[in-house]
Amino acid sequence: MRCSIFSLACLVTSAVASSPVTSNVSKVHEETRSLDEIHKAALAEGGVVTLWHGGDEANQQSSLKTAFEARFPGMTLNVTVDLSKYHDGNLDQQIADGNVQVDSIILQTLHDYPRWKEQGVLLNYAPANFGKVHGSFKDADAAYMGLLIFAWGLIANVNKTNTVLAEYPDFLKPEFKDKLVLTYPNDDDAVLYQFDLIIQQYGLSWFDALLAQNPRWVRGTETPATLIRSANSSSVATFTSGISLPLPAGNTLPTQGEFVSWPQTGAILKKAPHPEGAKLLHNFLLSTEHQTTQGWSVRDDLPAPAGLSKIWEQEGTNITGFGAWMSDRANVERRKYWYENKIGTAQGLSPLVDDL
C-alpha cells in the first residue's frame, strides 16, 4: 500500500500493534470495597491525593476537585493541570530520581502508558466498574484505563454570526475571513491529529484556503473558546476546542468530516505516596454517580447522551484512532515540523499563565 504524508490509514495500520489500549482484558481482581470503605482507608493514610491532569488552563479541573472533596469529607485533592507533554517529562524525572511525589496521572499522551507499564512504575489496580469500561480503553492488566472522553467539535458564537457551521469547508466561507481562532497544531498533538484528518479528507487545497482566511493562531485548546465567547474579541468560530454535552447553541459535530475523540487515560503510580487516596479517586471517577455527569461515558453499561450514540459507535469519529496515531512518535514529529514550516512556531505565553 502506498502512503502519502496524510494517509492516516497507513499510519494507523503500522501503529496499531503498539496502540496504548487493548480489548483483550485478562482476569484482574476488581475492587470490592465500597467508596465509603476506601474513604476511611484514605483518611487513615492522611486524606490527601495528588493528581496531575492534562489540560491548558489552571482551573480546568476545579469542578472535579470540588465534587471529590464534597463527596468525601476530610479529603484534599491537590490537582495540578499542565500540558500533558510537560507532565510526562516531569514524571519521568521523578521516576528517574526515585522520588515519585504524584499519586495519579490523567493525561492525553496515550503513548506514554505502555512505556510506563513496561518500566514497572504503574500500579496494576482495577477500580470497581473496571469490567464495564469499554474494552478498547483499558490495559489487560489494569495498569491504565480510560477515565473520561475528550472530543473536539465545531464551535461558533451565535451572537456574532448567523452562518451555520456544519462541516469543515464551512470555515472557508468569506464571512469568516479574519474571524477564526485556532490552536497551533504544532503545539498540541490532538489538534495536530485533527488537522491531519481534515486534510486527508479535503486535501491540501482546504488548508491553503484556511490560511487565506487569516486565522488567529493561539496556544491552548481552551483559548479559542474563551475568545469566541468574549465580546471584546472579533473571533467567531473554531474547531480546536473541546465540546460540552448536551451541545450548546452554535456547537455541532460534523457528519461528513471526522472529529477527534479519545479516552483520556489514567493510572496510579506504583510508588504513589497516597495509594488509598488514589484508589478512592479512580473509583469515584468510574462510579455511576460521576460518569453520568460527563457526557459520553467510558463504560459500556451507561447510556449515550441524548441524541447521540455511545462514543465507540458515534458517527464521525474513531475513538481509538488517536491512540494508534500517537504511538508513532517519529511521524508525529514530522507532522509538527510540516505545520511549523507553514505557520511558524507557536507564539505566546503558556496558556496556563496567559490572561485568556
Side-chain angles (χ1 to χ4, degrees):
M1 176 167 48
R2 296 183 63 188
C3 300
S4 73
I5 60 172
F6 287 99
S7 182
L8 297 181
C10 294
L11 298 177
V12 170
T13 298
S14 65
V16 70
S18 57
S19 174
V21 289
T22 175
S23 60
N24 300 316
V25 178
S26 65
K27 294 180 179 180
V28 295
H29 295 290
E30 193 169 301
E31 179 65 79
T32 57
R33 293 177 297 172
S34 69
L35 286 174
D36 289 341
E37 289 172 329
I38 307 172
H39 182 198
K40 290 180 182 178
L43 288 173
E45 181 185 66
V48 174
V49 190
T50 299
L51 167 66
W52 282 4
H53 203 297
D56 45 34
E57 292 292 343
N59 63 353
Q60 277 178 333
Q61 295 305 318
S62 296
S63 60
L64 173 59
K65 176 179 173 64
T66 299
F68 180 79
E69 292 178 352
R71 175 64 177 81
F72 304 108
M75 293 297 300
T76 298
L77 177 59
N78 294 321
V79 54
T80 300
V81 174
D82 202 348
L83 303 179
S84 294
K85 64 182 182 180
Y86 299 151
H87 268 327
D88 66 350
N90 290 330
L91 180 58
D92 281 337
Q93 188 63 57
Q94 288 191 6
I95 292 169
D97 293 343
N99 184 30
V100 173
Q101 301 175 27
V102 63
D103 300 308
S104 169
I105 49 170
I106 304 176
L107 303 177
Q108 174 181 301
T109 51
L110 305 185
H111 59 285
D112 282 319
Y113 289 96
R115 172 175 64 84
W116 284 327
K117 178 188 177 183
E118 186 176 352
Q119 291 174 357
V121 299
L122 302 181
L123 183 68
N124 297 99
Y125 175 71
N129 297 306
F130 175 78
K132 298 172 184 176
V133 174
H134 189 63
S136 65
F137 299 169
K138 56 190 175 184
D139 170 60
D141 301 309
Y144 52 89
M145 64 213 69
L147 296 173
L148 69 160
I149 301 298
F150 276 10
W152 304 148
L154 282 57
I155 302 174
N157 186 330
V158 295
N159 296 317
K160 293 182 179 181
T161 178
N162 294 320
T163 303
V164 175
L165 284 159
E167 302 291 343
Y168 299 111
D170 293 335
F171 286 84
L172 307 182
K173 292 179 178 180
E175 53 265 44
F176 291 118
K177 186 174 177 61
D178 301 321
K179 295 182 179 180
L180 301 178
V181 55
L182 301 169
T183 306
Y184 284 101
N186 43 320
D187 198 38
D188 186 293
D189 285 354
V191 176
L192 180 70
Y193 180 57
Q194 180 70 83
F195 271 86
D196 274 9
L197 285 174
I198 300 170
I199 294 175
Q200 181 193 23
Q201 179 172 6
Y202 293 108
L204 289 173
S205 60
W206 174 90
F207 185 67
D208 291 338
L210 181 72
L211 294 183
Q213 293 285 69
N214 192 34
R216 177 178 177 179
W217 297 101
V218 298
R219 298 193 65 198
T221 59
E222 184 66 27
T223 306
T226 300
L227 290 169
I228 289 168
R229 290 191 298 265
S230 173
N232 297 322
S233 169
S234 61
S235 299
V236 169
T238 191
F239 55 84
T240 63
S241 283
I243 57 169
S244 58
L245 297 175
L247 291 169
N251 288 222
T252 57
L253 294 171
T255 56
Q256 297 175 11
E258 188 170 353
F259 66 94
V260 171
S261 64
W262 72 94
Q264 189 83 334
T265 297
I268 298 172
L269 277 300
K270 186 174 289 186
K271 293 185 177 180
H274 311 100
E276 292 298 330
K279 290 175 183 179
L280 180 63
L281 174 63
H282 283 231
N283 278 273
F284 173 67
L285 291 172
L286 286 182
S287 68
T288 301
E289 65 183 271
H290 183 74
Q291 285 285 310
T292 50
T293 68
Q294 298 302 297
W296 277 303
S297 174
V298 299
R299 285 171 44 180
D300 285 318
D301 63 319
L302 296 179
L308 297 172
S309 302
K310 293 182 179 183
I311 190 62
W312 49 91
E313 300 170 346
Q314 178 65 41
E315 180 182 8
T317 194
N318 175 5
I319 186 65
T320 59
F322 180 55
W325 181 87
M326 284 283 280
S327 67
D328 187 347
R329 301 311 298 167
N331 173 69
V332 173
E333 291 305 308
R334 286 193 298 270
R335 303 308 310 131
K336 287 180 182 178
Y337 292 130
W338 189 90
Y339 286 99
E340 181 179 306
N341 186 49
K342 299 292 184 180
I343 63 177
T345 57
Q347 301 295 307
L349 298 172
S350 163
L352 278 86
V353 299
D354 66 17
D355 58 355
L356 297 176

